[in-house]
Amino acid sequence: MSDATGVNPQVTDAVTIANTKVLAEAPAMAMGSLYQTVGNSVAMAAANAVYAQQQANVSYQASSTLGITKLFSQNA
């Protein structure tokens, strides 16, 4: 490395170390972001499943009520 830039070698070393640190941490940061995204997606899928089950139970209860009402309304 030539010293033609006139920059203090300690500054050059500090910048090089900082850049190396950033590059070394990049894969871990990417995996952390991926894990957060996957966790959020799984949580939303579970919430959607609960909501769908609740809506199905409402429909089942309504159809059962209608069926029982029709049974009781028939003339014997």
Side-chain angles (χ1 to χ4, degrees):
M1 190 184 311
S2 68
D3 197 23
T5 59
V7 177
N8 188 336
Q10 291 177 339
V11 172
T12 305
D13 288 343
V15 170
T16 302
I17 289 170
N19 287 342
T20 304
K21 181 179 183 296
V22 169
L23 289 175
E25 290 176 352
M29 295 294 287
M31 288 303 294
S33 177
L34 176 67
Y35 288 150
Q36 283 184 332
T37 302
V38 169
N40 189 20
S41 297
V42 169
M44 289 189 66
N48 286 338
V50 169
Y51 177 74
Q53 189 176 26
Q54 287 173 342
Q55 294 304 309
N57 285 336
V58 168
S59 297
Y60 298 154
Q61 187 177 15
S63 63
S64 295
T65 303
L66 183 62
I68 291 171
T69 303
K70 285 190 182 236
L71 283 174
F72 285 149
S73 67
Q74 291 180 352
N75 293 333

Short mmCIF file of all heavy atoms in Angstrom, two decimals:
data_model
loop_
_atom_site.label_atom_id
_atom_site.label_comp_id
_atom_site.label_asym_id
_atom_site.label_seq_id
_atom_site.Cartn_x
_atom_site.Cartn_y
_atom_site.Cartn_z
N MET A 1 0.86 -1.17 0.00
CA MET A 1 0.00 0.00 0.00
C MET A 1 0.90 1.22 0.00
O MET A 1 1.78 1.36 0.82
CB MET A 1 -0.90 -0.02 1.24
CG MET A 1 -1.97 1.02 1.18
SD MET A 1 -3.00 1.12 2.67
CE MET A 1 -3.47 -0.53 3.00
N SER A 2 0.69 2.11 -0.92
CA SER A 2 1.54 3.30 -0.99
C SER A 2 1.03 4.37 -0.05
O SER A 2 -0.14 4.43 0.28
CB SER A 2 1.58 3.83 -2.42
OG SER A 2 0.32 4.34 -2.77
N ASP A 3 1.95 5.21 0.36
CA ASP A 3 1.60 6.30 1.28
C ASP A 3 1.45 7.61 0.52
O ASP A 3 1.68 8.68 1.06
CB ASP A 3 2.66 6.40 2.37
CG ASP A 3 2.19 7.20 3.57
OD1 ASP A 3 0.96 7.29 3.76
OD2 ASP A 3 3.03 7.74 4.30
N ALA A 4 1.04 7.53 -0.76
CA ALA A 4 0.94 8.72 -1.60
C ALA A 4 -0.28 9.57 -1.24
O ALA A 4 -0.35 10.73 -1.65
CB ALA A 4 0.88 8.33 -3.06
N THR A 5 -1.22 9.03 -0.47
CA THR A 5 -2.43 9.79 -0.16
C THR A 5 -2.19 10.81 0.94
O THR A 5 -2.98 11.73 1.11
CB THR A 5 -3.56 8.85 0.28
OG1 THR A 5 -3.13 8.12 1.42
CG2 THR A 5 -3.92 7.89 -0.84
N GLY A 6 -1.18 10.63 1.72
CA GLY A 6 -0.90 11.54 2.80
C GLY A 6 -1.78 11.33 4.02
O GLY A 6 -1.86 12.19 4.89
N VAL A 7 -2.47 10.17 4.08
CA VAL A 7 -3.34 9.87 5.21
C VAL A 7 -2.52 9.13 6.25
O VAL A 7 -1.68 8.28 5.94
CB VAL A 7 -4.54 9.01 4.74
CG1 VAL A 7 -5.42 8.62 5.91
CG2 VAL A 7 -5.34 9.76 3.70
N ASN A 8 -2.79 9.44 7.48
CA ASN A 8 -2.10 8.78 8.58
C ASN A 8 -2.38 7.27 8.52
O ASN A 8 -3.53 6.86 8.38
CB ASN A 8 -2.62 9.37 9.90
CG ASN A 8 -1.83 8.88 11.09
OD1 ASN A 8 -1.23 7.83 11.07
ND2 ASN A 8 -1.88 9.68 12.16
N PRO A 9 -1.36 6.43 8.65
CA PRO A 9 -1.58 4.98 8.59
C PRO A 9 -2.52 4.47 9.68
O PRO A 9 -3.23 3.48 9.48
CB PRO A 9 -0.19 4.39 8.77
CG PRO A 9 0.76 5.48 8.43
CD PRO A 9 0.05 6.76 8.72
N GLN A 10 -2.57 5.13 10.80
CA GLN A 10 -3.48 4.71 11.86
C GLN A 10 -4.94 4.91 11.44
O GLN A 10 -5.81 4.10 11.75
CB GLN A 10 -3.19 5.48 13.15
CG GLN A 10 -1.88 5.10 13.80
CD GLN A 10 -1.59 5.94 15.03
OE1 GLN A 10 -2.14 7.03 15.19
NE2 GLN A 10 -0.72 5.43 15.90
N VAL A 11 -5.19 5.99 10.70
CA VAL A 11 -6.55 6.23 10.19
C VAL A 11 -6.90 5.16 9.16
O VAL A 11 -8.02 4.60 9.18
CB VAL A 11 -6.65 7.64 9.57
CG1 VAL A 11 -7.99 7.83 8.88
CG2 VAL A 11 -6.43 8.70 10.63
N THR A 12 -5.97 4.85 8.29
CA THR A 12 -6.21 3.81 7.29
C THR A 12 -6.50 2.47 7.96
O THR A 12 -7.42 1.74 7.56
CB THR A 12 -4.98 3.67 6.37
OG1 THR A 12 -4.69 4.94 5.80
CG2 THR A 12 -5.25 2.67 5.26
N ASP A 13 -5.72 2.13 8.98
CA ASP A 13 -5.96 0.88 9.70
C ASP A 13 -7.32 0.87 10.38
O ASP A 13 -8.03 -0.14 10.38
CB ASP A 13 -4.86 0.64 10.74
CG ASP A 13 -3.52 0.28 10.11
OD1 ASP A 13 -3.53 -0.10 8.93
OD2 ASP A 13 -2.49 0.39 10.81
N ALA A 14 -7.71 1.99 10.98
CA ALA A 14 -9.01 2.06 11.67
C ALA A 14 -10.16 1.87 10.69
O ALA A 14 -11.13 1.16 10.98
CB ALA A 14 -9.14 3.39 12.40
N VAL A 15 -10.05 2.50 9.53
CA VAL A 15 -11.10 2.36 8.52
C VAL A 15 -11.15 0.93 8.00
O VAL A 15 -12.22 0.34 7.82
CB VAL A 15 -10.89 3.37 7.37
CG1 VAL A 15 -11.82 3.08 6.20
CG2 VAL A 15 -11.09 4.79 7.87
N THR A 16 -9.98 0.34 7.78
CA THR A 16 -9.93 -1.04 7.30
C THR A 16 -10.54 -1.99 8.32
O THR A 16 -11.32 -2.90 7.96
CB THR A 16 -8.47 -1.45 7.02
OG1 THR A 16 -7.91 -0.55 6.07
CG2 THR A 16 -8.39 -2.86 6.48
N ILE A 17 -10.24 -1.80 9.59
CA ILE A 17 -10.80 -2.65 10.64
C ILE A 17 -12.31 -2.47 10.72
O ILE A 17 -13.07 -3.44 10.86
CB ILE A 17 -10.12 -2.36 11.99
CG1 ILE A 17 -8.69 -2.87 11.96
CG2 ILE A 17 -10.89 -2.99 13.13
CD1 ILE A 17 -7.86 -2.43 13.15
N ALA A 18 -12.79 -1.24 10.61
CA ALA A 18 -14.23 -0.98 10.67
C ALA A 18 -14.94 -1.64 9.49
O ALA A 18 -16.01 -2.26 9.66
CB ALA A 18 -14.50 0.52 10.68
N ASN A 19 -14.35 -1.54 8.30
CA ASN A 19 -14.96 -2.17 7.13
C ASN A 19 -14.97 -3.69 7.26
O ASN A 19 -15.96 -4.35 6.90
CB ASN A 19 -14.21 -1.77 5.86
CG ASN A 19 -14.49 -0.34 5.45
OD1 ASN A 19 -15.47 0.25 5.90
ND2 ASN A 19 -13.63 0.23 4.63
N THR A 20 -13.90 -4.24 7.78
CA THR A 20 -13.84 -5.69 7.98
C THR A 20 -14.89 -6.14 9.00
O THR A 20 -15.55 -7.17 8.82
CB THR A 20 -12.44 -6.10 8.48
OG1 THR A 20 -11.47 -5.64 7.53
CG2 THR A 20 -12.32 -7.59 8.61
N LYS A 21 -15.09 -5.34 10.05
CA LYS A 21 -16.09 -5.68 11.07
C LYS A 21 -17.49 -5.68 10.46
O LYS A 21 -18.29 -6.58 10.71
CB LYS A 21 -16.00 -4.67 12.21
CG LYS A 21 -16.98 -4.92 13.34
CD LYS A 21 -16.78 -3.87 14.44
CE LYS A 21 -17.67 -4.09 15.63
NZ LYS A 21 -19.10 -3.95 15.33
N VAL A 22 -17.78 -4.68 9.64
CA VAL A 22 -19.09 -4.61 9.00
C VAL A 22 -19.31 -5.80 8.08
O VAL A 22 -20.37 -6.42 8.07
CB VAL A 22 -19.24 -3.27 8.23
CG1 VAL A 22 -20.47 -3.30 7.34
CG2 VAL A 22 -19.32 -2.11 9.20
N LEU A 23 -18.28 -6.13 7.29
CA LEU A 23 -18.41 -7.27 6.38
C LEU A 23 -18.54 -8.58 7.14
O LEU A 23 -19.24 -9.49 6.70
CB LEU A 23 -17.21 -7.32 5.44
CG LEU A 23 -17.15 -6.23 4.37
CD1 LEU A 23 -15.86 -6.32 3.59
CD2 LEU A 23 -18.34 -6.34 3.44
N ALA A 24 -17.88 -8.70 8.28
CA ALA A 24 -17.95 -9.93 9.06
C ALA A 24 -19.31 -10.09 9.73
O ALA A 24 -19.77 -11.21 9.93
CB ALA A 24 -16.85 -9.93 10.12
N GLU A 25 -19.95 -8.99 10.08
CA GLU A 25 -21.25 -9.06 10.76
C GLU A 25 -22.42 -9.19 9.79
O GLU A 25 -23.53 -9.52 10.20
CB GLU A 25 -21.46 -7.82 11.62
CG GLU A 25 -20.58 -7.76 12.84
CD GLU A 25 -20.74 -6.47 13.62
OE1 GLU A 25 -21.44 -5.57 13.11
OE2 GLU A 25 -20.18 -6.38 14.71
N ALA A 26 -22.21 -8.96 8.51
CA ALA A 26 -23.30 -8.95 7.54
C ALA A 26 -24.06 -10.29 7.48
O ALA A 26 -25.30 -10.27 7.49
CB ALA A 26 -22.78 -8.56 6.16
N PRO A 27 -23.39 -11.45 7.43
CA PRO A 27 -24.17 -12.70 7.39
C PRO A 27 -25.03 -12.91 8.64
O PRO A 27 -26.17 -13.38 8.53
CB PRO A 27 -23.10 -13.78 7.28
CG PRO A 27 -21.91 -13.10 6.72
CD PRO A 27 -21.96 -11.71 7.25
N ALA A 28 -24.50 -12.57 9.80
CA ALA A 28 -25.28 -12.74 11.03
C ALA A 28 -26.49 -11.81 11.04
O ALA A 28 -27.58 -12.20 11.46
CB ALA A 28 -24.41 -12.47 12.25
N MET A 29 -26.31 -10.59 10.56
CA MET A 29 -27.44 -9.65 10.50
C MET A 29 -28.49 -10.15 9.50
O MET A 29 -29.69 -10.04 9.76
CB MET A 29 -26.94 -8.26 10.09
CG MET A 29 -26.02 -7.62 11.10
SD MET A 29 -26.86 -7.23 12.64
CE MET A 29 -27.83 -5.84 12.14
N ALA A 30 -28.04 -10.70 8.38
CA ALA A 30 -28.98 -11.21 7.39
C ALA A 30 -29.77 -12.38 7.95
O ALA A 30 -30.99 -12.48 7.75
CB ALA A 30 -28.22 -11.63 6.13
N MET A 31 -29.10 -13.28 8.65
CA MET A 31 -29.81 -14.43 9.23
C MET A 31 -30.77 -13.97 10.33
O MET A 31 -31.87 -14.51 10.45
CB MET A 31 -28.81 -15.44 9.79
CG MET A 31 -28.05 -16.21 8.73
SD MET A 31 -29.11 -17.09 7.58
CE MET A 31 -29.86 -18.29 8.64
N GLY A 32 -30.37 -13.00 11.12
CA GLY A 32 -31.28 -12.47 12.14
C GLY A 32 -32.53 -11.87 11.52
O GLY A 32 -33.65 -12.09 12.00
N SER A 33 -32.35 -11.14 10.44
CA SER A 33 -33.49 -10.57 9.74
C SER A 33 -34.38 -11.66 9.15
O SER A 33 -35.62 -11.59 9.22
CB SER A 33 -33.00 -9.65 8.63
OG SER A 33 -34.08 -9.12 7.90
N LEU A 34 -33.75 -12.70 8.61
CA LEU A 34 -34.52 -13.82 8.06
C LEU A 34 -35.31 -14.52 9.16
O LEU A 34 -36.50 -14.83 8.97
CB LEU A 34 -33.58 -14.81 7.39
CG LEU A 34 -34.22 -16.08 6.84
CD1 LEU A 34 -35.15 -15.75 5.67
CD2 LEU A 34 -33.17 -17.07 6.40
N TYR A 35 -34.69 -14.76 10.30
CA TYR A 35 -35.39 -15.43 11.41
C TYR A 35 -36.57 -14.59 11.90
O TYR A 35 -37.63 -15.12 12.22
CB TYR A 35 -34.44 -15.71 12.56
CG TYR A 35 -33.44 -16.81 12.29
CD1 TYR A 35 -32.19 -16.80 12.89
CD2 TYR A 35 -33.75 -17.87 11.44
CE1 TYR A 35 -31.27 -17.80 12.64
CE2 TYR A 35 -32.84 -18.87 11.19
CZ TYR A 35 -31.61 -18.84 11.79
OH TYR A 35 -30.70 -19.83 11.55
N GLN A 36 -36.39 -13.28 11.97
CA GLN A 36 -37.50 -12.42 12.39
C GLN A 36 -38.65 -12.48 11.39
O GLN A 36 -39.83 -12.53 11.77
CB GLN A 36 -37.02 -10.98 12.55
CG GLN A 36 -36.24 -10.74 13.81
CD GLN A 36 -35.87 -9.28 13.98
OE1 GLN A 36 -35.73 -8.55 13.01
NE2 GLN A 36 -35.71 -8.86 15.22
N THR A 37 -38.32 -12.48 10.11
CA THR A 37 -39.35 -12.53 9.07
C THR A 37 -40.11 -13.85 9.11
O THR A 37 -41.34 -13.88 9.02
CB THR A 37 -38.72 -12.32 7.69
OG1 THR A 37 -38.03 -11.07 7.68
CG2 THR A 37 -39.77 -12.32 6.59
N VAL A 38 -39.37 -14.95 9.26
CA VAL A 38 -40.01 -16.27 9.33
C VAL A 38 -40.88 -16.37 10.58
O VAL A 38 -42.00 -16.89 10.53
CB VAL A 38 -38.95 -17.39 9.27
CG1 VAL A 38 -39.56 -18.73 9.61
CG2 VAL A 38 -38.30 -17.43 7.90
N GLY A 39 -40.37 -15.87 11.70
CA GLY A 39 -41.16 -15.90 12.93
C GLY A 39 -42.44 -15.10 12.81
O GLY A 39 -43.50 -15.54 13.27
N ASN A 40 -42.35 -13.95 12.18
CA ASN A 40 -43.54 -13.13 11.98
C ASN A 40 -44.54 -13.83 11.06
O ASN A 40 -45.75 -13.80 11.30
CB ASN A 40 -43.13 -11.77 11.40
CG ASN A 40 -44.27 -10.79 11.37
OD1 ASN A 40 -45.24 -10.94 12.09
ND2 ASN A 40 -44.16 -9.77 10.53
N SER A 41 -44.03 -14.47 10.02
CA SER A 41 -44.92 -15.18 9.09
C SER A 41 -45.63 -16.34 9.77
O SER A 41 -46.83 -16.57 9.55
CB SER A 41 -44.12 -15.70 7.89
OG SER A 41 -43.56 -14.63 7.18
N VAL A 42 -44.91 -17.08 10.60
CA VAL A 42 -45.52 -18.20 11.32
C VAL A 42 -46.57 -17.70 12.30
O VAL A 42 -47.65 -18.29 12.43
CB VAL A 42 -44.43 -19.03 12.03
CG1 VAL A 42 -45.04 -20.03 12.99
CG2 VAL A 42 -43.56 -19.74 11.00
N ALA A 43 -46.27 -16.60 12.97
CA ALA A 43 -47.24 -16.04 13.92
C ALA A 43 -48.50 -15.58 13.20
O ALA A 43 -49.63 -15.80 13.69
CB ALA A 43 -46.61 -14.89 14.69
N MET A 44 -48.35 -14.95 12.05
CA MET A 44 -49.52 -14.51 11.29
C MET A 44 -50.32 -15.69 10.76
O MET A 44 -51.56 -15.65 10.72
CB MET A 44 -49.10 -13.59 10.15
CG MET A 44 -48.63 -12.23 10.64
SD MET A 44 -48.37 -11.06 9.32
CE MET A 44 -50.03 -10.84 8.74
N ALA A 45 -49.63 -16.76 10.36
CA ALA A 45 -50.35 -17.96 9.90
C ALA A 45 -51.16 -18.57 11.03
O ALA A 45 -52.31 -19.00 10.83
CB ALA A 45 -49.35 -18.98 9.34
N ALA A 46 -50.59 -18.60 12.23
CA ALA A 46 -51.33 -19.14 13.38
C ALA A 46 -52.52 -18.25 13.71
O ALA A 46 -53.61 -18.76 14.01
CB ALA A 46 -50.40 -19.24 14.58
N ALA A 47 -52.35 -16.94 13.64
CA ALA A 47 -53.46 -16.03 13.92
C ALA A 47 -54.57 -16.20 12.88
O ALA A 47 -55.76 -16.19 13.22
CB ALA A 47 -52.97 -14.59 13.95
N ASN A 48 -54.18 -16.37 11.62
CA ASN A 48 -55.19 -16.58 10.57
C ASN A 48 -55.92 -17.90 10.77
O ASN A 48 -57.13 -17.99 10.51
CB ASN A 48 -54.54 -16.55 9.19
CG ASN A 48 -54.15 -15.14 8.77
OD1 ASN A 48 -54.70 -14.17 9.27
ND2 ASN A 48 -53.20 -15.04 7.86
N ALA A 49 -55.22 -18.93 11.22
CA ALA A 49 -55.87 -20.21 11.47
C ALA A 49 -56.88 -20.10 12.61
O ALA A 49 -57.99 -20.66 12.53
CB ALA A 49 -54.83 -21.27 11.80
N VAL A 50 -56.53 -19.37 13.65
CA VAL A 50 -57.46 -19.17 14.77
C VAL A 50 -58.69 -18.40 14.30
O VAL A 50 -59.83 -18.75 14.62
CB VAL A 50 -56.76 -18.43 15.93
CG1 VAL A 50 -57.76 -17.97 16.97
CG2 VAL A 50 -55.71 -19.33 16.56
N TYR A 51 -58.47 -17.35 13.51
CA TYR A 51 -59.60 -16.56 13.00
C TYR A 51 -60.51 -17.42 12.12
O TYR A 51 -61.74 -17.34 12.23
CB TYR A 51 -59.08 -15.36 12.22
CG TYR A 51 -60.17 -14.52 11.61
CD1 TYR A 51 -60.95 -13.69 12.41
CD2 TYR A 51 -60.43 -14.57 10.25
CE1 TYR A 51 -61.97 -12.93 11.86
CE2 TYR A 51 -61.44 -13.82 9.69
CZ TYR A 51 -62.20 -13.00 10.50
OH TYR A 51 -63.21 -12.26 9.95
N ALA A 52 -59.92 -18.24 11.25
CA ALA A 52 -60.72 -19.10 10.38
C ALA A 52 -61.53 -20.10 11.20
O ALA A 52 -62.70 -20.38 10.89
CB ALA A 52 -59.82 -19.82 9.38
N GLN A 53 -60.92 -20.64 12.25
CA GLN A 53 -61.64 -21.59 13.10
C GLN A 53 -62.80 -20.92 13.83
O GLN A 53 -63.89 -21.49 13.95
CB GLN A 53 -60.67 -22.21 14.10
CG GLN A 53 -61.26 -23.36 14.89
CD GLN A 53 -60.24 -24.01 15.79
OE1 GLN A 53 -59.27 -23.38 16.20
NE2 GLN A 53 -60.45 -25.28 16.11
N GLN A 54 -62.57 -19.70 14.29
CA GLN A 54 -63.65 -18.97 14.97
C GLN A 54 -64.81 -18.71 14.00
O GLN A 54 -65.98 -18.88 14.37
CB GLN A 54 -63.12 -17.66 15.53
CG GLN A 54 -62.24 -17.83 16.74
CD GLN A 54 -61.58 -16.51 17.16
OE1 GLN A 54 -61.52 -15.56 16.38
NE2 GLN A 54 -61.11 -16.46 18.39
N GLN A 55 -64.49 -18.31 12.79
CA GLN A 55 -65.55 -18.03 11.81
C GLN A 55 -66.29 -19.31 11.44
O GLN A 55 -67.51 -19.30 11.25
CB GLN A 55 -64.96 -17.36 10.57
CG GLN A 55 -64.40 -15.98 10.83
CD GLN A 55 -65.42 -15.06 11.46
OE1 GLN A 55 -66.54 -14.92 10.97
NE2 GLN A 55 -65.06 -14.42 12.55
N ALA A 56 -65.57 -20.42 11.33
CA ALA A 56 -66.22 -21.70 11.03
C ALA A 56 -67.15 -22.10 12.17
O ALA A 56 -68.27 -22.59 11.92
CB ALA A 56 -65.16 -22.78 10.80
N ASN A 57 -66.73 -21.88 13.41
CA ASN A 57 -67.60 -22.23 14.54
C ASN A 57 -68.87 -21.39 14.55
O ASN A 57 -69.94 -21.89 14.90
CB ASN A 57 -66.84 -22.05 15.86
CG ASN A 57 -65.84 -23.16 16.10
OD1 ASN A 57 -65.99 -24.26 15.57
ND2 ASN A 57 -64.81 -22.88 16.89
N VAL A 58 -68.78 -20.13 14.17
CA VAL A 58 -69.97 -19.29 14.09
C VAL A 58 -70.92 -19.84 13.02
O VAL A 58 -72.14 -19.94 13.24
CB VAL A 58 -69.59 -17.83 13.79
CG1 VAL A 58 -70.80 -17.00 13.42
CG2 VAL A 58 -68.87 -17.21 14.98
N SER A 59 -70.35 -20.23 11.88
CA SER A 59 -71.19 -20.79 10.81
C SER A 59 -71.84 -22.10 11.24
O SER A 59 -73.02 -22.35 10.96
CB SER A 59 -70.35 -21.03 9.55
OG SER A 59 -69.84 -19.81 9.07
N TYR A 60 -71.07 -22.96 11.91
CA TYR A 60 -71.61 -24.24 12.38
C TYR A 60 -72.73 -24.01 13.38
O TYR A 60 -73.75 -24.70 13.35
CB TYR A 60 -70.52 -25.09 13.01
CG TYR A 60 -69.39 -25.47 12.08
CD1 TYR A 60 -68.13 -25.75 12.57
CD2 TYR A 60 -69.59 -25.55 10.69
CE1 TYR A 60 -67.10 -26.10 11.72
CE2 TYR A 60 -68.56 -25.89 9.84
CZ TYR A 60 -67.31 -26.16 10.36
OH TYR A 60 -66.29 -26.50 9.52
N GLN A 61 -72.55 -23.07 14.27
CA GLN A 61 -73.57 -22.80 15.28
C GLN A 61 -74.84 -22.25 14.62
O GLN A 61 -75.96 -22.64 14.99
CB GLN A 61 -73.04 -21.81 16.31
CG GLN A 61 -73.98 -21.61 17.48
CD GLN A 61 -73.38 -20.68 18.53
OE1 GLN A 61 -72.41 -19.99 18.29
NE2 GLN A 61 -73.98 -20.68 19.71
N ALA A 62 -74.65 -21.37 13.63
CA ALA A 62 -75.82 -20.82 12.94
C ALA A 62 -76.57 -21.90 12.19
O ALA A 62 -77.81 -21.95 12.21
CB ALA A 62 -75.38 -19.71 11.98
N SER A 63 -75.84 -22.79 11.51
CA SER A 63 -76.52 -23.85 10.75
C SER A 63 -77.20 -24.84 11.70
O SER A 63 -78.30 -25.33 11.41
CB SER A 63 -75.55 -24.57 9.83
OG SER A 63 -74.54 -25.21 10.57
N SER A 64 -76.58 -25.14 12.84
CA SER A 64 -77.22 -26.03 13.82
C SER A 64 -78.49 -25.41 14.37
O SER A 64 -79.53 -26.09 14.51
CB SER A 64 -76.26 -26.32 14.97
OG SER A 64 -75.14 -27.03 14.52
N THR A 65 -78.44 -24.12 14.67
CA THR A 65 -79.63 -23.43 15.19
C THR A 65 -80.75 -23.44 14.16
O THR A 65 -81.91 -23.69 14.50
CB THR A 65 -79.27 -21.98 15.57
OG1 THR A 65 -78.21 -22.00 16.52
CG2 THR A 65 -80.45 -21.24 16.13
N LEU A 66 -80.40 -23.19 12.91
CA LEU A 66 -81.42 -23.19 11.85
C LEU A 66 -82.02 -24.59 11.69
O LEU A 66 -83.25 -24.74 11.55
CB LEU A 66 -80.81 -22.71 10.54
CG LEU A 66 -81.74 -22.60 9.35
CD1 LEU A 66 -82.84 -21.58 9.63
CD2 LEU A 66 -80.97 -22.23 8.11
N GLY A 67 -81.17 -25.62 11.73
CA GLY A 67 -81.68 -26.99 11.58
C GLY A 67 -82.60 -27.38 12.72
O GLY A 67 -83.65 -27.99 12.50
N ILE A 68 -82.23 -27.05 13.95
CA ILE A 68 -83.06 -27.38 15.11
C ILE A 68 -84.38 -26.60 15.05
O ILE A 68 -85.46 -27.14 15.36
CB ILE A 68 -82.29 -27.11 16.41
CG1 ILE A 68 -81.17 -28.13 16.55
CG2 ILE A 68 -83.20 -27.15 17.62
CD1 ILE A 68 -80.20 -27.84 17.66
N THR A 69 -84.32 -25.34 14.63
CA THR A 69 -85.53 -24.54 14.50
C THR A 69 -86.49 -25.16 13.49
O THR A 69 -87.70 -25.22 13.71
CB THR A 69 -85.17 -23.10 14.09
OG1 THR A 69 -84.28 -22.55 15.04
CG2 THR A 69 -86.42 -22.23 13.97
N LYS A 70 -85.94 -25.65 12.36
CA LYS A 70 -86.79 -26.29 11.35
C LYS A 70 -87.39 -27.61 11.88
O LYS A 70 -88.53 -27.93 11.59
CB LYS A 70 -85.99 -26.54 10.08
CG LYS A 70 -85.76 -25.29 9.27
CD LYS A 70 -85.17 -25.60 7.92
CE LYS A 70 -84.92 -24.31 7.19
NZ LYS A 70 -85.58 -24.27 5.92
N LEU A 71 -86.61 -28.35 12.66
CA LEU A 71 -87.14 -29.59 13.23
C LEU A 71 -88.29 -29.31 14.18
O LEU A 71 -89.30 -30.02 14.19
CB LEU A 71 -86.03 -30.35 13.97
CG LEU A 71 -85.02 -31.11 13.11
CD1 LEU A 71 -83.91 -31.68 13.99
CD2 LEU A 71 -85.72 -32.25 12.37
N PHE A 72 -88.13 -28.31 15.02
CA PHE A 72 -89.18 -27.99 16.00
C PHE A 72 -90.40 -27.34 15.37
O PHE A 72 -91.48 -27.36 15.94
CB PHE A 72 -88.64 -27.10 17.11
CG PHE A 72 -87.78 -27.82 18.10
CD1 PHE A 72 -86.75 -27.17 18.75
CD2 PHE A 72 -87.99 -29.16 18.41
CE1 PHE A 72 -85.95 -27.84 19.68
CE2 PHE A 72 -87.21 -29.83 19.32
CZ PHE A 72 -86.18 -29.16 19.96
N SER A 73 -90.22 -26.74 14.19
CA SER A 73 -91.36 -26.05 13.59
C SER A 73 -92.24 -26.99 12.75
O SER A 73 -93.30 -26.58 12.30
CB SER A 73 -90.86 -24.91 12.71
OG SER A 73 -90.16 -25.41 11.58
N GLN A 74 -91.83 -28.23 12.57
CA GLN A 74 -92.66 -29.17 11.81
C GLN A 74 -93.86 -29.61 12.64
O GLN A 74 -93.78 -29.76 13.85
CB GLN A 74 -91.84 -30.40 11.42
CG GLN A 74 -90.78 -30.12 10.39
CD GLN A 74 -89.99 -31.36 10.03
OE1 GLN A 74 -90.15 -32.40 10.65
NE2 GLN A 74 -89.13 -31.23 9.04
N ASN A 75 -94.97 -29.81 11.95
CA ASN A 75 -96.18 -30.30 12.63
C ASN A 75 -96.08 -31.78 12.89
O ASN A 75 -95.71 -32.56 12.02
CB ASN A 75 -97.43 -30.01 11.78
CG ASN A 75 -97.68 -28.51 11.68
OD1 ASN A 75 -97.29 -27.77 12.57
ND2 ASN A 75 -98.33 -28.10 10.61
N ALA A 76 -96.41 -32.18 14.07
CA ALA A 76 -96.32 -33.60 14.42
C ALA A 76 -97.53 -34.37 14.02
O ALA A 76 -98.61 -34.00 13.90
CB ALA A 76 -96.09 -33.74 15.91
#
